[in-house]
Amino acid sequence: MSIKYDLFENPPHAGKKEEGWLHARPVIQGTLKTDDLIDVINANSTVTGADVVGVLESLSEHLADGLGNSYNVYLEGIGTFSVTLKSRPVKDKKEIRAASVEVKNIEFRPDPDLKRKVQAAGVVRVEKSKKRKKFDEEERKQRILVYINMRDSINVTYAMALNYCSHAKTKKDLLSLVESGQIKELHYGNVKVYIRVADQQDREEGNL
């Protein structure tokens, strides 16, 4: 685990471009969505995907309710959410009414523990200009098969990272391999993994 970065030229300051000065900026690899997090949580706990979805939906509702009632909301190990407001400047309180005040933003202040964990990941230099290779469907499926041959199994999250593609494409690739009889889907409690069909046959025959 490491944070990718590259060096970028500083933006112009006060209308004057300052040549030669560079600063570090993260090179974002993509966006992990709810389905991705559900897969990771499923693979590392006994919590079901449906449970995760239910908790997240309830959390969103109660977070909005707390912020909407003028509370800050603190999530242990994650951070504090708070509301900021905006209004036109006035010299007297009587010059403005509630209708002229609105929510500007929801701000987030990370918990120190979360910040420490992210800092512990460290950083590694990558070239921002380096293009991420895009694999077609057959290449993606072949790479999945090679990975399974090397590591015995794979799950959706690792297949996404392997092929730099979306959750939907990864699920489609794995389903295609299952339907073609090349791999088998297995469930270990709430954990879903994919293995070679030959491995499944060995398990059923008691050879493994």
Side-chain angles (χ1 to χ4, degrees):
M1 183 173 71
S2 60
I3 299 170
K4 281 69 174 175
Y5 80 96
D6 199 3
L7 297 174
F8 296 77
E9 188 173 348
N10 286 340
H13 179 66
K16 297 180 180 180
K17 192 167 184 176
E18 300 174 358
E19 300 288 349
W21 294 97
L22 303 173
H23 66 283
R25 187 189 305 167
V27 178
I28 302 302
Q29 305 297 294
T31 300
L32 290 175
K33 299 184 178 179
T34 303
D35 285 344
D36 306 325
L37 297 177
I38 288 173
D39 283 337
V40 173
I41 294 171
N42 254 333
N44 292 279
S45 71
T46 59
V47 179
T48 68
D51 289 337
V52 176
V53 171
V55 169
L56 289 176
E57 289 178 349
S58 181
L59 178 61
S60 177
E61 290 296 325
H62 286 83
L63 181 60
D65 186 61
L67 294 173
N69 279 288
S70 205
Y71 284 90
N72 289 342
V73 179
Y74 170 67
L75 301 179
E76 186 173 353
I78 296 179
T80 302
F81 295 85
S82 59
V83 170
T84 60
L85 303 176
K86 64 179 180 180
S87 67
R88 60 183 175 82
V90 296
K91 291 185 176 181
D92 191 305
K93 293 180 180 180
K94 296 179 180 179
E95 296 179 37
I96 197 167
R97 297 181 181 276
S100 300
V101 181
E102 59 186 75
V103 174
K104 178 181 180 181
N105 207 349
I106 297 173
E107 295 192 341
F108 173 72
R109 186 173 67 255
D111 185 274
D113 187 48
L114 176 62
K115 190 173 180 179
R116 281 193 295 270
K117 289 177 181 177
V118 174
Q119 289 173 330
V123 296
V124 61
R125 171 82 183 277
V126 298
E127 293 292 339
K128 63 179 181 295
S129 59
K130 186 176 181 180
K131 299 292 185 182
R132 178 186 295 170
K133 180 173 175 56
K134 290 186 177 180
F135 302 103
D136 62 32
E137 182 178 344
E138 289 307 313
E139 287 177 316
R140 295 196 306 269
K141 290 193 290 188
Q142 185 59 39
R143 286 168 62 82
I144 289 172
L145 292 174
V146 170
Y147 184 96
I148 293 175
N149 284 334
M150 294 175 59
R151 302 293 182 90
D152 296 330
S153 67
I154 198 169
N155 62 24
V156 173
T157 302
Y158 279 101
M160 287 172 58
L162 178 69
N163 288 325
Y164 308 111
C165 65
S166 67
H167 184 272
K169 279 187 179 180
T170 301
K171 293 282 284 187
K172 181 181 178 182
D173 292 341
L174 290 168
L175 179 59
S176 176
L177 289 170
V178 170
E179 291 177 342
S180 65
Q182 297 180 75
I183 64 174
K184 177 83 174 181
E185 179 183 294
L186 292 181
H187 294 262
Y188 295 103
N190 294 316
V191 179
K192 183 189 296 182
V193 299
Y194 298 85
I195 67 169
R196 294 180 304 172
V197 171
D199 291 342
Q200 172 66 9
Q201 292 171 346
D202 287 339
R203 282 177 170 80
E204 291 172 351
E205 294 170 2
N207 296 328
L208 289 180

